[in-house]
Amino acid sequence: MSTWEISLLGSLPNIGGLIATPFCGYVFNVLGRKYATILFGLPYVIAWAIISLTTNVTLILIAMTVAGIGIGGQNVSLIYISEISHDSIRGGMTACSASGFFLGLLISYVLGGYLTYYQVVYAHLTLSVAGMLLLMFLKESPVHLLRIGKEEEAAKSIAFYNQVDVHSKEVEVEIRKIKLQLDPRLEKILAEQQDPEVTSGLLNEKLGNDLEINKESPWKILASSRSSKRALITVLLVMTLTLLMGCIVLQVYAEPLFKEAVPSMPPNMCSIILAIDFLLASFGCVLVVDKFGRKNLFIITSLICGLCTLLLGSQLQFHWAPHWFTAFLIYAYSFIFSLGCGMVPFVLMAEVFLPEVRDLCSSIGLSVMWLGNFITVLVFNPLVERLGLGPVFYIFSAICFLTAVYGQFRLPETKELSVDAIQVLFLKRNKSK
């Protein structure tokens, strides 16, 4: 493969993801969370099958683009996990999706270092098929089932995930709670009382047993919902700021930095250690995101990332410390970023939206992510040529500190709150202006 073809090999999955993401919301609504998750596993099977059967460069590049479609649909897992998790552990369970991703990344790096080319291909093809088959044993999201009028199936799903009897009081309460979230009168009532701590009682009192299900299109609901628009703006701003903090650039250009910092260590070993770094950070996020809250975790990790990029920029510009310190800063930054500020936007994306617009808003957020990654990597080299590598990391540092300031003054705390209580936070902030 030529240099240009190797570049396409790494970038085309992003194009596939960007193309697929705008259609994800529609697929999630039509097929449901479970079957959409299974469907978006199919591109991986197709891609690995093509790679296993040919050495033609064009077909390999097409396979990578097809795999990107699967990447674009991976926000299904965030929505799926969010809708089957209890409010008290929703953040940690959502963060588990990152742990799964980094575990897969680590396994891929290890396999790539010790197996032959075709052994690696067949291993990933087998895992892709196994993933689709294992998903068949799960139940559909109860939120989606209630949206399409399958209350009996929704009760079975709740009983399955909570390991209780389908006729238990717990299932009955959860069914009513989801119906409240789907009721089109919800936002009007929430806007009147403005207190996230007492939403459930007032909603039960004002809505009674005559609950409705909103049948309008997600776009129309988003256009008329003040809380959803405010939540979407918040998620997009948080997502954009974290994208501009430099993590994607550090990952793309980590290899030459590692070669300078630790020339005696094989590149594959550096990659394995980096994957372990990400994996441990994601496990840490699972443990702390529901304990310390999204806001505090976001602010603290943004500040530490700002310090790491400031030190890294000065080290790259002035070389004031040993070369190994460069590697240490890369690992430290990657760990802190994945522990908090890199994961919080995805946790928010899965929990702050009303069920009717959750698919649509998640698709919009993921589209911004793909576009932001593309622009960040695109402008990095011209900036380095004009300013130098060190000063570019000063820019990343400034953005990290700016992100912390935004988090302090504009990011609401959603820890352990139900969806209706989260809407009150956005309505309250909007009204207080």
Side-chain angles (χ1 to χ4, degrees):
M1 299 179 74
S2 67
T3 303
W4 170 245
E5 289 167 342
I6 292 173
S7 298
L8 287 175
L9 185 72
S11 61
L12 283 176
N14 295 317
I15 300 300
L18 182 60
I19 292 171
T21 297
F23 303 99
C24 290
Y26 176 78
V27 175
F28 303 161
N29 277 330
V30 173
L31 297 183
R33 280 57 164 142
K34 173 183 174 179
Y35 291 106
T37 304
I38 295 172
L39 176 66
F40 283 112
L42 186 59
Y44 294 108
V45 176
I46 295 173
W48 286 115
I50 293 174
I51 294 171
S52 69
L53 295 172
T54 184
T55 56
N56 181 276
V57 173
T58 302
L59 290 177
I60 296 293
L61 294 178
I62 291 173
M64 297 304 292
T65 307
V66 171
I69 297 174
I71 299 172
Q74 287 205 342
N75 62 331
V76 183
S77 63
L78 295 176
I79 298 171
Y80 198 177
I81 294 170
S82 173
E83 291 182 349
I84 64 175
S85 301
H86 190 273
D87 293 339
S88 62
I89 58 170
R90 185 181 57 232
M93 294 299 293
T94 305
C96 278
S97 62
S99 301
F101 173 80
F102 290 129
L103 179 60
L105 192 66
L106 175 60
I107 292 172
S108 296
Y109 284 158
V110 172
L111 293 179
Y114 297 100
L115 299 182
T116 65
Y117 172 80
Y118 281 107
Q119 286 174 337
V120 171
V121 172
Y122 294 140
H124 285 83
L125 176 59
T126 302
L127 288 170
S128 299
V129 174
M132 294 181 66
L133 294 175
L134 289 171
L135 285 167
M136 296 297 295
F137 293 97
L138 296 180
K139 297 287 187 182
E140 178 57 86
S141 158
V143 176
H144 175 73
L145 290 171
L146 280 174
R147 285 181 63 189
I148 60 176
K150 296 185 177 181
E151 184 171 336
E152 185 177 341
E153 292 298 316
K156 293 179 181 178
S157 175
I158 294 170
F160 172 79
Y161 286 114
N162 288 275
Q163 291 296 288
V164 295
D165 185 80
V166 71
H167 301 294
S168 66
K169 184 68 175 178
E170 184 176 345
V171 171
E172 181 183 338
V173 170
E174 193 66 26
I175 287 286
R176 181 169 181 79
K177 179 180 175 183
I178 297 173
K179 282 185 174 181
L180 288 172
Q181 296 169 7
L182 294 170
D183 198 298
R185 298 167 291 175
L186 172 69
E187 185 168 1
K188 182 178 179 181
I189 296 173
L190 293 177
E192 293 174 357
Q193 51 90 17
Q194 298 283 310
D195 187 352
E197 299 298 327
V198 296
T199 53
S200 298
L202 285 176
L203 287 173
N204 283 322
E205 179 184 338
K206 295 193 176 187
L207 294 179
N209 294 316
D210 184 22
L211 300 177
E212 303 174 8
I213 301 296
N214 202 336
K215 300 296 185 181
E216 295 180 329
S217 71
W219 282 106
K220 190 172 182 179
I221 296 171
L222 177 61
S224 61
S225 172
R226 288 185 299 155
S227 64
S228 296
K229 286 185 287 188
R230 178 66 59 177
L232 179 59
I233 291 171
T234 299
V235 168
L236 293 182
L237 282 173
V238 170
M239 180 73 74
T240 302
L241 287 169
T242 53
L243 289 173
L244 296 176
M245 289 168 66
C247 186
I248 182 66
V249 168
L250 206 57
Q251 292 177 37
V252 171
Y253 294 96
E255 186 173 339
L257 292 173
F258 279 130
K259 282 184 177 179
E260 177 187 342
V262 281
S264 60
M265 184 178 294
N268 183 255
M269 182 57 66
C270 291
S271 298
I272 290 175
I273 295 174
L274 188 61
I276 294 173
D277 190 45
F278 283 131
L279 181 60
L280 293 176
S282 67
F283 286 150
C285 183
V286 172
L287 296 174
V288 301
V289 69
D290 284 315
K291 182 176 182 180
F292 296 107
R294 289 74 161 132
K295 181 172 182 173
N296 290 333
L297 187 63
F298 184 76
I299 295 170
I300 293 171
T301 53
S302 295
L303 290 172
I304 299 175
C305 283
L307 179 60
C308 287
T309 47
L310 180 63
L311 292 174
L312 183 58
S314 63
Q315 165 69 357
L316 292 171
Q317 184 175 8
F318 301 112
H319 301 284
W320 51 269
H323 285 312
W324 61 262
F325 190 66
T326 304
F328 170 78
L329 288 173
I330 294 173
Y331 286 131
Y333 170 83
S334 300
F335 181 88
I336 297 300
F337 183 86
S338 299
L339 177 69
C341 50
M343 191 60 207
V344 167
F346 296 96
V347 174
L348 293 174
M349 190 166 60
E351 70 180 4
V352 299
F353 300 115
L354 290 169
E356 300 95 328
V357 299
R358 189 175 291 146
D359 307 331
L360 172 63
C361 292
S362 295
S363 296
I364 295 173
L366 267 288
S367 297
V368 169
M369 182 195 72
W370 293 118
L371 187 61
N373 282 339
F374 175 76
I375 293 174
T376 303
V377 175
L378 183 69
V379 303
F380 179 71
N381 277 329
L383 277 175
V384 170
E385 291 176 2
R386 187 173 183 85
L387 303 176
L389 189 58
V392 170
F393 277 91
Y394 296 153
I395 296 175
F396 292 148
S397 179
I399 293 173
C400 290
F401 292 127
L402 177 64
T403 302
V405 173
Y406 175 83
Q408 174 64 37
F409 293 104
R410 303 299 299 165
L411 187 65
E413 180 54 74
T414 58
K415 182 182 72 169
E416 297 184 2
L417 293 180
S418 61
V419 173
D420 45 290
I422 291 173
Q423 305 313 302
V424 175
L425 293 177
F426 289 104
L427 289 169
K428 186 176 182 180
R429 191 177 60 168
N430 198 30
K431 188 175 181 179
S432 63
K433 284 188 170 185

